[in-house]
Amino acid sequence: MSSFKNPIVLAGITLMLAGCTVGPDYHGAPAVTPTDKAFVRADDKGVNAEPAAHWWTALGDPELNHLIDETLATNPGVDVARARLREARASLGQQRAAGLPTTNSSAAYLRTANISSLLGGGSSGASGNSGSSGGGGVNLYVAGFDATWELDFFGANRRAVEGAAANVEASAAHVADAIVSLTAEVAQAYIELCDARQRQALTQQNIDIESHLVEMMKQRRAGGAATDLDVVRVTNQLDTTRATLPAIRAAITEQLNRLAALTAHAPGALDAELANVGPVPPPPATTNIGDPASLLRRRPDIRIAERQLAQHTAAVGQSVAAQFPKVDLLGTLGFAATHPEDLFNSGSFTYLAGPVLQWSPWDFGRNRARIAQANAARDEAEANYRQTVLNALADAETSLARFGQQRDAVADLGLARASAEESYRLTEIRFRGGTAATTDVLDADTRRNQADWNYQQALAELTQDYVALQKSLGLGWAEPSS
């Protein structure tokens, strides 16, 4: 029996018994929907192959590449997510350390005296005390070391570590989610800027044409070949076209400010750099989209929801473990003496060691309520995961459908633009042959510019749909795994 009085032996036996971890084990997220097939809305242009993470490079625009690189390096939103990741990692380290002993050391100098000695009286016997320094007082020197260790019998701390580790992985997915959103937002703002610049140029061309048409109509009216109503009609068209310019200029300013904010610049800082952006970059002819299974592995919001489910599952185990007894190992080593030179003598040494049991078997249902609350939170996290998966799949399928339909629209508008260009060419030939009036040429030129406007607008929307598709696939944050 004497061996069980040794605290080291007792600690070893306790550790052998501390292998039980209560509560549910996490075995992965539930299956929501079959994902072993291709996307339903994919067409022959959507290749069922793993897509490239840096999708924006396929647009072939160096300025866009530069803006995205600068955004990822300087945007505060990414810094916020990365700071939270560091915070989660530190919390994990703290939780792991909670499973280790807590130690403390102390040293003190104490002096005691009775009230009569303080008033100048006191007995003569007090002056003969070996610990006295005069006046009947006693000096006491103390040094000690103590440690406590909560034995994780039922896995409460192990579950806490599991939850903290899941939170770290969720925080890492939040960083990825911020990057996915930012890359898409920069691309969208840049495309809108290019589109607005192009619309401004086309509008100015229409204004020039319509101004010429007004002058021509005034000359015809002066020659008796046109009426005042004809002049008013073409003048009204010119005024209407001019009225669209302020909104376009405002759109340009808005996107310049938006890009400046995304790249952590003050408004106006990018005006000179982006003064001469080119046309809207078209998307590639074919697009790798992968399959639904790879989408579930890649999208950050799905990974966040899955890791939150794991975290809440671990929290259930913590609540279950709280209803069982807690055992702490206590140990104290100390030295106490009335003279400093005697402090560390063997006769001054004292120690205390042993287990301490804490248990509240009658808590009137408090812990059962905590367990029920943890289970409900876990069920909520599971439902949130299922909803996130369904929303992600719907987002990807919708983006695929829009991209495919818009690609067909661009093809049709390309044919319309070509026919408008041919109509203008033939009208110009007739004008040179004397069988068409100048107004006919100007009118054909106006229709040609309108067809070009429609095509450019559709192309900009197609590229925006391409960006939305890449975002729905969860791309932009890292190279996909092979």
Side-chain angles (χ1 to χ4, degrees):
M1 293 295 293
S2 61
S3 62
F4 288 94
K5 296 180 181 179
N6 189 321
I8 298 178
V9 175
L10 180 61
I13 295 173
T14 305
L15 288 174
M16 292 174 62
L17 296 174
C20 178
T21 303
V22 297
D25 293 325
Y26 183 68
H27 299 294
V32 178
T33 184
T35 56
D36 55 351
K37 55 184 178 60
F39 285 106
V40 176
R41 311 298 178 189
D43 56 20
D44 57 343
K45 299 287 183 62
V47 181
N48 187 20
E50 194 68 10
H54 295 168
W55 51 265
W56 54 89
T57 58
L59 296 175
D61 194 307
E63 185 61 43
L64 175 59
N65 297 342
H66 168 70
L67 289 171
I68 289 180
D69 290 342
E70 190 172 2
T71 297
L72 297 183
T74 61
N75 187 275
V78 179
D79 293 338
V80 168
R82 287 170 177 160
R84 288 175 178 168
L85 174 58
R86 293 194 300 273
E87 181 181 356
R89 286 171 176 164
S91 179
L92 173 60
Q94 183 180 12
Q95 193 59 57
R96 284 172 173 163
L100 302 176
T102 300
T103 61
N104 186 40
S105 60
S106 61
Y109 162 71
L110 305 174
R111 179 172 175 77
T112 64
N114 59 37
I115 189 65
S116 61
S117 66
L118 294 175
L119 297 175
S123 64
S124 58
S127 62
N129 192 313
S130 61
S132 169
S133 60
V138 177
N139 294 325
L140 183 64
Y141 301 89
V142 180
F145 173 84
D146 60 80
T148 60
W149 187 8
E150 181 181 341
L151 300 177
D152 198 19
F153 267 114
F154 300 100
N157 191 70
R158 289 192 290 277
R159 293 302 192 193
V161 170
E162 288 177 11
N167 185 48
V168 168
E169 292 169 341
S171 297
H174 274 292
V175 175
D177 195 45
I179 292 174
V180 168
S181 297
L182 282 172
T183 53
E185 188 173 358
V186 172
Q188 289 166 349
Y190 182 76
I191 291 165
E192 289 183 24
L193 175 63
C194 294
D195 178 46
R197 294 279 194 198
Q198 207 158 15
R199 284 188 287 120
Q200 184 183 36
L202 289 172
T203 301
Q204 189 58 55
Q205 289 180 19
N206 282 335
I207 289 173
D208 294 341
I209 293 172
E210 290 167 4
S211 297
H212 193 186
L213 182 59
V214 168
E215 293 302 321
M216 293 292 300
M217 195 62 70
K218 287 179 178 179
Q219 292 177 10
R220 294 184 65 185
R221 182 188 60 182
T227 65
D228 289 341
L229 178 60
D230 294 328
V231 175
V232 169
R233 284 175 176 172
V234 294
T235 302
N236 175 261
Q237 180 61 42
L238 173 61
D239 293 338
T240 302
T241 303
R242 280 177 175 160
T244 63
L245 274 179
I248 296 175
R249 295 191 188 105
I252 291 173
T253 301
E254 177 185 356
Q255 300 312 318
L256 287 172
N257 291 339
R258 184 180 174 190
L259 287 169
L262 287 168
T263 54
H265 289 96
L270 298 181
D271 289 9
E273 178 183 342
L274 301 177
N276 298 307
V277 293
V280 174
T286 59
T287 304
N288 291 349
I289 59 174
D291 54 35
S294 65
L295 171 73
L296 300 189
R297 293 191 303 268
R298 187 170 54 238
R299 268 187 66 135
D301 57 341
I302 295 178
R303 292 162 54 220
I304 291 169
E306 188 274 331
R307 288 291 81 200
Q308 289 174 341
L309 174 57
Q311 184 178 4
H312 283 288
T313 303
V316 174
Q318 287 180 265
S319 299
V320 173
Q323 66 184 334
F324 294 101
K326 293 183 179 180
V327 178
D328 290 339
L329 286 183
L330 302 181
T332 300
L333 304 176
F335 298 87
T338 56
H339 292 89
E341 59 270 20
D342 298 329
L343 183 60
F344 295 106
N345 292 342
S346 59
S348 303
F349 173 70
T350 61
Y351 77 92
L352 174 68
V356 176
L357 176 67
Q358 301 178 61
W359 190 25
S360 300
W362 299 286
D363 65 352
F364 304 99
R366 293 184 182 91
N367 203 71
R368 286 197 301 273
R370 284 192 289 267
I371 294 173
Q373 183 181 19
N375 276 311
R378 186 210 168 276
D379 293 343
E380 179 185 354
E382 181 176 335
N384 179 66
Y385 171 79
R386 295 199 308 270
Q387 188 64 62
T388 301
V389 169
L390 293 173
N391 289 343
L393 291 172
D395 185 19
E397 294 284 4
T398 300
S399 297
L400 280 167
R402 285 179 176 172
F403 182 62
Q405 295 297 328
Q406 187 62 22
R407 188 165 44 202
D408 293 340
V410 169
D412 292 338
L413 288 171
L415 296 175
R417 184 177 68 161
S419 63
E421 180 68 33
E422 179 66 11
S423 175
Y424 173 77
R425 187 185 68 83
L426 294 175
T427 303
E428 196 175 31
I429 291 175
R430 290 180 58 215
F431 175 74
R432 289 196 297 267
T435 59
T438 304
T439 54
D440 296 331
V441 177
L442 293 176
D443 186 56
D445 199 16
T446 299
R447 290 196 300 270
R448 179 181 65 168
N449 281 331
Q450 185 61 48
D452 194 33
W453 173 289
N454 294 338
Y455 176 79
Q456 296 300 334
Q457 285 284 95
L459 180 60
E461 186 174 344
L462 176 63
T463 306
Q464 291 283 26
D465 289 341
Y466 171 79
V467 174
L469 174 60
Q470 306 311 305
K471 183 180 180 181
S472 72
L473 296 175
L475 297 172
W477 60 272
E479 292 294 339
S481 57
S482 57

